[in-house]
Amino acid sequence: MFRGLSAFPLTPTNEQGIDEPAYTALVARLAAAGVDSIGALGSTGNYAYLTREQRARAAKTAVEAADGTPVIVGIGALRTLHVLELAEDAQKAGASGVLLAPMTYQVLTEDEVFGLYEDVTRELSVPLCVYDNPGTTHVRFTDELHGRIAQLPNVGSIKIPGVPEDPREAELRVAALRALIPDTVTIGVSGDWTAARGLNSGCDAWYSVLGGTFPRTALALARAAQAGHADQAVELSDRLEPLWILFRRHGSLRVISAAASHLGLTDEPNLPRPLRGLDETARQEVAAALDTLGLTS
């Protein structure tokens, strides 16, 4: 579950709620492609904008549509009490694991971040992935804090931000973290344009935005790296540079939102307000990139 390709789909949402038929189809598409796990209600899944009831329903829908593929459900919330409630809902839905980012309004101390994971892992019966995402949470983990948290029961993986561009620096980054965590805890890379470097540098998993909409394309890259074909993985990533440019320019969520609607996988709008999709010029850029790359799956 915490190795290989973990694909994170969009949760198509409008002001009336979640588009369950579209969501079911997106998740089933990932399972059919053979991804190693499905990350429901991650950042691409817009978990922070949904009610507890919507999240519980989405978790259940994802597990059912995944048809046996492990589902990792995001349980982040501002209060520990609410995280625990969401964890309970995810486990009742049949989640194989949970994903927790330390959401906050007030700045958290390291002891408060550690305390969050301590409180939550104590109550879990499934493994947890620590979600290190400073771009959205503004919480910055030190490797030492990761090391402390990784010793807690039920911690199974750490989802780190993108690795450095230089391959040697990327290897050192992964090795430094690896030295502080148990062998039972895997390291997964995010920041899709750095995935090939991350996997080639020793990361065990790719927690992928791309994979949530284009699973076969992401699988080809992940499998190349897993097989030790580092140059092939880099080459496959380099081919996707037109899309990576748009990810970096507009943010991966809005690009994937536009891509999903362009392919007819979701209706419009598919993001919860106040989020808005790309403007028409940017949408044309996304459509052109997809056409140039021949991306459909």
Side-chain angles (χ1 to χ4, degrees), residues 4 34 49 65 69 73 85 93 107 109 125 130 138 145 186 198 213-214 242 248 260 272 291:
Y49 298 93
T69 299
V73 174
E85 291 171 344
V107 176
T109 67
S125 59
V130 176
H138 307 291
L145 178 56
T186 69
T213 302
F214 302 102
R248 292 190 291 266
D291 292 344

Side-chain angles (χ1 to χ4, degrees), residues 11-34:
T11 308
T13 307
N14 56 37
E15 295 315 288
Q16 285 68 53
I18 295 171
D19 183 345
E20 289 193 19
Y23 185 54
T24 297
L26 284 171
V27 174
R29 192 168 182 259
L30 304 181

Side-chain angles (χ1 to χ4, degrees), residues 52-276:
R52 179 184 177 185
E53 291 73 22
Q54 288 174 322
R55 292 171 68 169
R57 179 66 183 171
K60 185 174 186 294
T61 300
V63 170
E64 291 174 351
D67 194 27
T69 299
V71 175
I72 305 164
V73 174
I75 58 170
L78 289 174
R79 290 191 60 188
T80 300
L81 171 65
H82 298 154
V83 174
L84 292 170
E85 291 171 344
L86 292 162
E88 181 180 4
D89 293 342
Q91 290 175 110
K92 284 182 177 178
S96 297
V98 294
L99 174 73
L100 177 57
M103 291 179 64
T104 189
Y105 179 78
Q106 299 292 341
V107 176
L108 297 178
T109 67
E110 286 204 353
D111 284 342
E112 288 169 335
V113 175
F114 177 81
L116 167 66
Y117 288 96
E118 184 178 40
D119 289 341
V120 173
T121 55
R122 187 186 297 120
E123 303 296 327
L124 283 176
S125 59
V126 298
L128 176 143
C129 177
V130 176
Y131 190 2
D132 181 351
N133 187 7
T136 56
T137 65
H138 307 291
V139 173
R140 299 195 175 275
F141 286 81
T142 63
D143 283 357
E144 290 72 23
L145 178 56
H146 273 310
R148 289 177 65 196
I149 293 170
Q151 303 295 329
L152 293 170
N154 293 313
V155 173
S157 187
I158 301 169
K159 180 183 179 187
I160 64 171
V163 296
E165 289 188 14
D166 181 83
R168 179 56 182 159
E169 290 183 11
E171 289 179 7
L172 292 173
R173 164 77 195 98
V174 175
L177 179 56
R178 180 86 64 194
L180 296 175
I181 64 176
D183 294 340
T184 54
V185 177
T186 69
I187 300 173
V189 65
S190 58
D192 279 7
W193 54 91
T194 76
R197 286 198 304 276
L199 292 169
N200 289 341
S201 299
C203 287
D204 307 288
W206 174 16
Y207 295 114
S208 174
V209 175
L210 178 76
T213 302
F214 302 102
R216 298 187 189 282
T217 300
L219 273 169
L221 191 162
R223 296 294 185 250
Q226 286 180 296
H229 305 311
D231 290 344
Q232 182 184 0
V234 171
E235 180 182 346
L236 290 170
S237 180
D238 287 347
R239 288 180 191 171
L240 295 168
E241 183 60 22
L243 195 59
W244 301 153
I245 289 172
L246 296 175
F247 273 28
R248 292 190 291 266
R249 181 183 302 161
H250 301 295
S252 59
L253 171 62
R254 290 178 175 84
V255 173
I256 284 298
S257 164
S261 61
H262 175 71
L263 295 176
L265 300 174
T266 70
D267 291 332
E268 284 284 347
N270 58 28
L271 297 175
R273 290 295 184 103
L275 298 179
R276 301 193 182 213

